[in-house]
Amino acid sequence: MTAATAAGAPEVTRWWQLPAYGLLGLPLAMAALPVYVQVAPYYSALRGVGLAELGWVLFAARLCDMLQDPLLGHLVDRRRGAIARWLTLGAIVLALAFTGLWLPPADRIAATLWLGAMLVLAYSAHSMLNIAYLAWGANLGGGGPRNSAALLPAAAWREGAGLAGMVLASVVPATIIGGDLARMSDRMAVYSLAFALILLVALLALLTLAPAWPAAPRPHAHWRAALCRMAANRRFRQLLLPYFLNACSVALPATLALFFIRDQIGAASLAGAFLGCYFIAAACGLPLWSAAARRLGVLPCWRLGMALSIASFAGAGLLGAGDVLPYFAVCIAAGAALGADLALPPVLLAETLDAGDAPGAYYGVLTLLGKLAMALSGLALPLLSTLGYQPGTPGGAPMALVYAGLPCMLKLLAVAALRCVPRQLRQTTPTPHYRSTP
């Protein structure tokens, strides 16, 4: 591990350090979006929990969780010397809650309450890990103003590992959920054990091989002063609306994906293949987005990614039973666009920070907005129920509207909101290529 520089940020001097940093993105991704995609159909099939009940539980759990993120970010900034203990505690709680999530009680009502409790625990532990992890990556840019040249490679490793985690967490549980109902719980228990082992290995790699967390804590003001500093950062404020709208547009189809595949396309047995194709396309597109961002600028590339996503989901809204190959095409195009959504917004946020800003608090706000988007997406389930859709029946126009139409509208609003981003973040000045020394 390298020593921290005088400015408080580490210098990357070994080729393995950025991969070691990025590896934790794999288990964190396994416990994030794929869980939100799979938990509703899992509890519906295994315990018979109703669609409206699932939607409200998902909404309430995310709503409770998101309120703590700015506080967690502030605590990460103030307790830099104890970061290893924070990460270890978060990993232990996340592994236990993740396992409990897939092993609910037999009673339907008890299973519903259990789902809410396990989600809150898993979300809280995930937040603690993820905010510290993003703040760690933001410090790779150096002690002064952040720049894309230093941040993009770390983001690429982090999101690349995250996409690998999404592929793994999409294919395996989807295959289990679509298989033998009697063996579903046992197989998910084995999957949870594998998740815990992956999380342990990734955390050890981060703490022992990655670029060092700044050893000396920087003085940070009271949380109210930190909040005031964020509120005064105009560049940061103007990124929040497009980020939130875009996060909503991603969360809606993620929540409904398995229902759409089963009841709109009529291909439940191919759910793992569809989701795997989606995330593999994102992983393949990630280095292309990073390379394009170095040449064209981060914000223009994010805008291009949004345009590709709009075109993809507009096509998905026209699909019906038996449209397997067209839906594979939608998954490939939408997955490629996902790479831009994952890698570029954290880099844009880091570019808004000034020397002396506390990155943990900023990323806490960013994750809060992402969780609010996921919470609101849970309301799509009772909305579909109100529109007449029931799991196991053809989705029809209500499913096409909520799964494809609403995300397209939200993406268009996000593109419009990007016009308000300050001029310095809209510049397309190429950033130099980053190279680590051997």
Side-chain angles (χ1 to χ4, degrees):
M1 187 186 297
T2 59
T5 64
E11 286 196 21
V12 178
T13 57
R14 297 292 185 267
W15 64 268
W16 65 77
Q17 290 185 296
L18 287 182
Y21 164 76
L23 185 60
L24 186 60
L26 193 152
L28 288 180
M30 290 176 67
L33 188 60
V35 168
Y36 212 78
V37 173
Q38 295 149 359
V39 71
Y42 180 78
Y43 274 74
S44 176
L46 189 68
R47 296 293 183 257
V49 182
L51 196 65
E53 294 170 290
L54 287 168
W56 285 111
V57 168
L58 292 175
F59 173 72
R62 273 299 190 193
L63 201 62
C64 292
D65 171 51
M66 73 175 204
L67 299 176
Q68 68 187 335
D69 281 8
L71 175 60
L72 287 174
H74 185 65
L75 291 175
V76 166
D77 289 324
R78 291 182 63 88
R79 288 167 174 80
R80 288 173 174 268
I83 193 65
R85 292 195 293 272
W86 277 83
L87 290 170
T88 302
L89 175 62
I92 292 172
V93 175
L94 178 59
L96 293 175
F98 186 86
T99 301
L101 188 63
W102 305 111
L103 301 173
D107 180 73
R108 183 180 65 84
I109 296 177
T112 305
L113 297 174
W114 178 268
L115 172 62
M118 290 301 103
L119 282 175
V120 170
L121 282 175
Y123 289 160
S124 299
H126 189 277
S127 295
M128 184 185 300
L129 282 166
N130 195 47
I131 292 170
Y133 185 47
L134 290 172
W136 194 314
N139 282 308
L140 299 181
R146 279 74 177 175
N147 61 83
S148 300
L151 296 167
L152 279 171
W157 279 107
R158 180 180 67 233
E159 302 304 336
L163 288 169
M166 286 187 181
V167 172
L168 181 62
S170 298
V171 175
V172 176
T175 303
I176 293 173
I177 293 171
D180 184 4
L181 184 64
R183 303 182 63 184
M184 194 180 296
S185 292
D186 293 338
R187 290 173 174 172
M188 290 304 292
V190 175
Y191 172 71
S192 300
L193 177 61
F195 167 79
L197 292 175
I198 293 171
L199 180 59
L200 173 63
V201 171
L203 183 61
L204 288 175
L206 179 71
L207 296 177
T208 60
L209 299 175
W213 181 273
R218 293 200 301 257
H220 288 294
H222 190 271
W223 67 269
R224 292 190 185 90
L227 186 62
C228 290
R229 187 178 179 104
M230 280 192 292
N233 188 331
R234 180 171 174 268
R235 293 176 300 168
F236 170 71
R237 292 199 319 269
Q238 293 182 325
L239 275 178
L240 296 182
L241 179 59
Y243 177 83
F244 174 67
L245 292 171
N246 186 70
C248 289
S249 74
V250 174
L252 266 174
T255 303
L256 301 176
L258 292 183
F259 295 104
F260 185 87
I261 292 168
R262 183 183 65 189
D263 297 334
Q264 190 80 0
I265 305 299
S269 62
L270 294 175
F274 285 131
L275 295 175
C277 183
Y278 174 70
F279 290 119
I280 289 171
C284 292
L286 186 62
L288 300 179
W289 288 116
S290 296
R294 293 188 185 99
R295 182 174 299 275
L296 303 175
V298 178
L299 189 59
C301 285
W302 191 24
R303 191 179 287 115
L304 288 174
M306 289 185 186
L308 178 59
S309 182
I310 291 168
S312 304
F313 280 101
L318 303 176
L319 302 183
D323 289 333
V324 171
L325 290 180
Y327 190 63
F328 268 117
V330 168
C331 290
I332 292 172
L338 179 67
D341 287 334
L342 292 174
L344 302 182
V347 176
L348 275 175
L349 185 147
E351 289 181 343
T352 69
L353 305 186
D354 298 317
D357 278 335
Y362 282 81
Y363 283 110
V365 173
L366 202 68
T367 57
L368 182 152
L369 292 178
K371 289 178 179 181
L372 177 59
M374 294 300 289
L376 292 174
S377 74
L379 298 181
L381 297 175
L383 173 62
L384 280 173
S385 181
T386 301
L387 293 175
Y389 165 75
Q390 293 298 324
T393 64
M399 179 64 76
L401 172 65
V402 180
Y403 175 83
L406 285 180
C408 287
M409 181 186 71
L410 291 167
K411 284 276 187 185
L412 287 170
L413 291 173
V415 171
L418 284 177
R419 295 182 62 86
C420 298
V421 169
R423 183 178 301 274
Q424 56 266 45
L425 293 182
R426 289 191 273 120
Q427 292 173 347
T428 59
T429 304
T431 58
H433 288 277
Y434 173 87
R435 290 185 176 89
S436 59
T437 57

